[in-house]
Every structure is written in C-alpha cells, then in structure tokens.
C-alpha cells in the first residue's frame, strides 16, 4: 500500500498514516470508515502503536529486575488493560475502581501498585485482600490508617513511602507533583522518621521507596535528580537498618504533542539504570527491583479523537468551527490549556483560514484548539491527535452529553468496538425520582 509516514510530530512512529489519496488511516483502514461505522465523536486506538510503546519500555528494562507498570488513569479501557496484561505489564492504580478494572481485564494482582493521596479504608482493605504488590503511602496519617486496616484483617500490608523529592519537573503546574508545595508524597526530610515508625508496626512490611514527580516531562534531568534523591534516602535508611526491596521511580515521561522531543524510553531507562549501576557498586546489599509507572508515554500517541465539523460560524473577530467533540469528551484543553494537533482526515478543496475549534458545551472554556490554519467545511471529519492519554478517562457527561465510542484497530486493520457510545438510558441509569415528587 502506498502510505506516507510522518517523520516527526505526534504521528511519527505510530500506525496512523495517510494513504495515497491523502486520507488518514490506522493500519491502512481509512478513519472515514471508522466514523461511518461508529459515529463521532469517537476515540480510535491503534493496538500496535500501544504495544510498540510498551515494548520499548519492556525491552529497555529486560534483564534488569524491573517492572514496567501502566498508570491506569491515563486510559482505563478494559481492552487496553487486557492488551497490556497479556504482555506481562504491571499496573499503577489510584482507586479501587481501577483495581477492579485490572482484575476484570486479567491483570495480575502481584504486579499492582496503589498510589494516591487519599485512599479510603475500604479501598485499602480491598487492595490488601487482593494481594497487590505494594501500597504507596503518601503521608504519616495514611501509614497509620493502612496499618490499622491491615491489622483488622490480620494481614501484613506491603508498603512503600511516596516521597516528595522537591524537584521542578518543568511541566504544567497542574501536572507537576514533586514540588514541596504539591499535595503529593511525604517531604524528604520527614521520610526517615515515617519509615522508622513503619518499621515498628507489625501489620506493615516495608517494601520500597516510591516517587513520581509529574507528567509530560520532556528532559532527562528531573528524572535523574529524583533518582539521586531516592538513592540518597535508600542509603540513609540502610544506615538505620531499613533495607528496601524495590525503588518505584514513577512515570511522567512526556510525548510529542507538537514539536517536543522527549527522551525515548530507551534513553530514559538506560540513563536511570546507569545511575543505579554506579550506586549499586558502593553498597553490599542486594540490588533492589526497579518499578516504573508510565501512562501517557504508553498510550498518548496510540489514540486519536475523531470529530466532525458541525457548522461554521465565521465572524469579524474570530472564525469559529463548532465541532461535535467537546470539553466533556477531551478535557485537557479546558483544564490545562493543553495543545493538541488537529488535522483533516480527508484533504479539502476549500481555502485555508484561521479557526477556533470549539465544542457545543455552554462554557467559554469549551474549546479544543485555537487559531489553527485549516481548510474547513461543515461536515468535515477531523482527528484530534495525541488523544490516547487523559482523554476518555477524564471524560464526563456534562451537558448530558453521552460519552463517546471507543474503537480499537488491531494489527490487521480490523476495527473493534471496545466501548459503545452511551445512550440517554445510560445517563439516567443511576438516578431516580423519589415517590413524593411523583404525581
Ligand atoms: C498519573 C501518575 C502516573 C502516570 O503519569 P504519566 O505522566 O501518565 O506517565 C504515575 N504515577 C502516579 C503516582 C501518578 O499519579
């Protein structure tokens, strides 16, 4: 087939290509056919693109006593979890709902780590009962809570402390998590004291140290700074007789949305393993297992959001194109002013103009892209790129909009519906009108 691959930008290295007629395809399947079959807005994921991204991490971690976890909150569709579980991935979860998703999709409990600043007692109990690998503790108060819940179940909970290394990940403030003003983790200078408390508790077992400094990080140095601080803590703990079994270095590797050039998975992991190698030479204890928790870098560029131009509203100040995908479908622009590339699926004959692409939701914050040079007509099909991560998983029913369909394209170009479009009945399924309000 005569297809053209992009050499840079969000589609580089993916299975999304234009065919000889200029139509954007996934595995050779024109996205026009997907829109026809499943409607819009619609998330389309490429199985091979997802697996290639995961396998880059897995290959870089091979023979290193390391576990690549997938951070479920980036995209928690069961089919995607099942694909990764079949590869032997671990999973980073932040709620009992995510635990249930991993188990429902066939993931192994002993490869699950549980992160998050506010875990409910019932969530902690469910995690312990499921025999997950580790609970990442984010505060002294949470340590006591986990110890109590475990004691109540007559169990010993494996734990690590998520430390806050106070490092600027140089990313958007809302996705920066490793600065001391962020709510996440235990401050470095308190970590030893909390570990000492944990050591005295019979219902917890100290398994590791955990950190996660932010998301969409596009340079190596914040990761390496965090590694150094975690290793220094491991040394201080070892000096007080606390040996840890694993180091969880979190996720956060960025992707290309526009023209960013983040380190490749291989470059990041080899830089980290080099540091660890040097450090290991200075100590006698066994080498700890290394965990990572990547979300965006695994799924981000494996998905696009298909949307149709509903109508055009040109004006003297701004040209608006109203599209059928809105902030409830893809929240990142409204939430972080995130930039997504938007491309026409089919080449257009009309002249280019500068457009703001906006959704139908009643909020001025409901925009997808601003000031884009595009050749648009009503009815055109567009693809919002890099929409695989924090797209569907952040979607809502705001404005009583049913959530979009999700479609997986396999390596042969076959399309599989992996989440049907919601209907009105789904919107009201959990609601009821009390009898006294009924006539
Ligand atoms: C969100 C999150 C991740 C994944 O972040 P990405 O930027 O998607 O890789 C990993 N660990 C924790 C604790 C998180 O909260």
């Amino acid at each position: 087939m005569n297809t053209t691959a992009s050499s840079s930008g969000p589609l580089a290295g993916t299975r999304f290509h234009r065919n000889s007629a200029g139509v954007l395809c996934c595995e050779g399947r024109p996205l026009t056919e997907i829109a026809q079959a499943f409607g819009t807005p619609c998330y389309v994921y490429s199985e091979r693109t997802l697996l290639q991204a995961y396998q880059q991490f897995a290959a870089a971690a091979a023979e290193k006593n390391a576990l690549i976890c997938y951070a479920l909150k980036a995209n928690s569709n069961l089919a995607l979890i099942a694909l990764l579980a079949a590869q032997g991935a671990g999973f980073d979860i932040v709620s009992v709902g995510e635990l249930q998703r991993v188990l429902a999709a066939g993931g192994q409990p002993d490869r699950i780590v549980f992160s998050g600043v506010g875990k409910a007692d019932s969530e902690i109990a469910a995690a312990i009962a499921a025999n997950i690998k580790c609970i990442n503790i984010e505060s002294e108060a949470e340590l006591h809570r986990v110890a109590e819940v475990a004691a109540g179940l007559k169990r010993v909970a494996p734990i690590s402390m998520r430390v806050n290394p106070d490092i600027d990940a140089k990313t958007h403030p809302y996705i920066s998590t490793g600065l001391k003003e962020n709510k996440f983790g235990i401050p470095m200078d308190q970590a030893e004291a909390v570990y000492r408390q944990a050591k005295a508790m019979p219902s917890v077992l100290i398994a590791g140290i955990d950190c996660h400094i932010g998301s969409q990080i596009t340079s190596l140095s914040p990761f390496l700074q965090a590694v150094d601080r975690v290793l220094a803590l491991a040394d201080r703990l070892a000096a007080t007789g606390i040996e840890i079994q694993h180091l969880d270095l979190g996720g956060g590797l960025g992707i290309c949305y526009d023209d960013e050039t983040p380190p490749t998975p291989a470059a990041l992991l080899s830089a980290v393993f080099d540091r660890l190698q040097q450090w290991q030479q200075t100590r006698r204890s066994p080498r700890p297992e290394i965990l990572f928790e990547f979300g965006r870098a695994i799924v981000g560029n494996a998905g696009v959001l298909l949307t149709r131009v509903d109508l055009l509203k040109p004006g003297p100040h701004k040209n608006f194109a109203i599209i059928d995908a809105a902030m409830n479908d893809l929240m990142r622009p409204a939430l972080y002013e995130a930039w997504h590339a938007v491309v026409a699926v089919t080449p257009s004959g009309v002249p280019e103009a500068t457009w703001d692409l906006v959704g139908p939701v009643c909020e001025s914050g409901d925009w997808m892209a601003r000031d884009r040079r595009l050749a648009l007509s009503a009815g055109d099909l567009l693809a919002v790129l890099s929409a695989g991560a924090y797209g569907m998983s952040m979607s809502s029913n705001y404005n009583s909009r049913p959530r979009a369909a999700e479609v997986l394209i396999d390596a042969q170009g076959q399309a599989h519906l992996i989440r049907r479009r919601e209907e009105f009945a789904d919107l009201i399924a959990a609601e009821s009108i009390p009898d006294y309000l009924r006539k």
Side-chain angles (χ1 to χ4, degrees):
M1 194 179 318
N2 181 9
T3 58
T4 48
S6 340
S7 56
S8 66
L11 295 184
T14 72
R15 305 297 303 172
F16 293 93
H17 299 147
R18 289 200 184 268
N19 67 13
S20 52
V23 178
L24 188 63
C25 300
C26 179
E27 298 290 3
R29 171 83 50 188
L31 296 183
T32 43
E33 286 180 22
I34 305 301
Q36 195 91 53
F38 302 101
T40 54
C42 174
Y43 280 97
V44 182
Y45 308 116
S46 155
E47 172 179 336
R48 274 213 278 188
T49 307
L50 174 83
L51 292 182
Q52 279 167 10
Y54 170 77
Q55 283 156 1
Q56 284 182 42
F57 288 108
E63 288 159 38
K64 295 283 190 193
N65 187 23
L67 178 63
I68 305 297
C69 296
Y70 168 63
L72 220 69
K73 75 180 192 290
N75 188 322
S76 52
N77 184 287
L78 288 182
L80 306 189
I81 303 170
L83 276 173
L84 292 167
Q87 299 285 312
F91 295 94
D92 173 53
I93 59 163
V94 294
S95 69
V96 73
E98 290 193 346
L99 171 63
Q100 289 164 326
R101 280 181 178 274
V102 174
L103 299 178
Q108 289 180 31
D110 62 359
R111 295 182 176 210
I112 298 175
V113 296
F114 190 0
S115 302
V117 284
K119 307 171 191 77
D121 286 9
S122 58
E123 294 184 303
I124 295 166
I128 295 172
N131 292 313
I132 71 164
K133 184 178 178 70
C134 192
I135 299 178
N136 295 338
I137 305 254
E138 299 224 12
S139 61
E140 186 184 337
E142 189 177 53
L143 170 63
H144 289 273
R145 178 175 287 191
V146 170
E148 259 169 52
V149 172
L153 294 170
K154 301 198 166 35
R155 295 283 305 274
V156 177
I159 56 150
S160 68
M161 308 297 171
R162 173 169 176 185
V163 293
N164 183 328
D166 191 24
I167 283 163
D168 187 355
K170 303 215 163 50
T171 185
H172 188 281
Y174 284 10
I175 53 177
S176 199
T177 56
L179 281 168
K180 58 178 181 290
E181 60 260 39
N182 299 136
K183 70 179 175 182
F184 298 99
I186 298 170
M188 261 304 179
D189 54 7
Q190 295 169 25
E192 283 168 76
V194 182
Y195 271 100
R196 274 198 300 277
Q197 287 187 43
K199 201 185 175 193
M201 295 172 165
S203 63
V204 300
L205 174 75
I206 296 172
I209 306 178
D210 169 47
C211 82
H212 171 72
I213 56 173
S215 197
Q216 185 55 16
I217 303 169
T218 53
S219 66
L220 276 178
S221 61
F223 289 107
L224 296 179
Q225 284 175 48
V227 170
D228 285 345
R229 292 189 190 176
V230 166
L231 295 180
L233 174 62
D235 284 338
R236 293 199 299 277
L237 292 175
T240 65
I242 298 175
E243 282 295 343
I244 48 98
Q245 273 85 58
H246 75 239
L247 298 174
D248 181 341
L249 300 172
L253 180 61
I255 60 169
C256 176
Y257 284 97
D258 181 8
D259 56 5
E260 304 90 333
T261 51
T264 62
L268 173 61
L269 268 58
S270 79
V272 168
F273 287 127
D274 282 352
R275 284 288 163 109
L276 291 163
Q277 180 76 32
Q278 289 164 19
W279 172 74
Q280 189 63 35
Q281 282 163 5
T282 66
R283 50 201 316 273
R284 267 167 309 165
S285 4
R287 200 191 173 95
E289 182 186 13
I290 306 302
L291 274 59
F292 294 97
E293 308 166 341
F294 295 109
R296 191 189 310 270
I298 292 177
V299 73
N301 276 331
V304 305
L305 173 60
L306 290 183
T307 176
R308 224 174 257 291
V309 178
D310 202 19
L311 48 85
L312 298 179
K313 193 176 168 185
H317 301 294
K318 277 270 181 191
N319 295 322
F320 292 106
I322 321 288
I323 59 175
D324 66 4
M327 64 186 285
N328 73 295
D329 299 301
L330 178 64
M331 196 191 191
R332 298 186 67 258
L335 186 62
Y336 319 117
E337 303 198 325
W339 193 97
H340 283 265
V342 183
V343 299
V345 171
T346 312
S348 156
V350 305
E352 272 190 359
T354 301
W355 295 98
D356 274 16
L357 305 176
V358 300
V361 162
C362 305
E363 296 278 349
S364 294
D366 179 29
W367 55 273
M368 191 67 72
R370 288 168 165 167
D371 294 325
R372 300 297 173 87
R373 293 295 295 175
L374 286 165
L376 295 185
S377 310
D380 282 0
L381 188 62
L382 303 176
V384 182
L385 308 185
S386 314
Y390 305 105
M392 188 63 178
S393 61
M394 281 190 171
S395 67
S396 76
N397 292 122
Y398 188 40
N399 277 214
S400 284
R401 288 171 51 86
R403 259 176 285 233
E406 292 180 288
V407 173
L408 179 67
I409 312 288
D410 69 20
Q412 286 73 46
Q414 291 300 316
H416 306 269
L417 184 64
I418 58 172
R419 193 178 204 274
R420 64 167 172 79
R421 183 177 307 287
E422 286 178 348
E423 301 168 352
F424 174 66
D426 297 311
L427 298 184
I428 58 163
E431 298 175 30
S432 53
I433 301 172
D435 278 347
Y436 85 98
L437 293 178
R438 293 179 185 275
K439 293 236 174 63

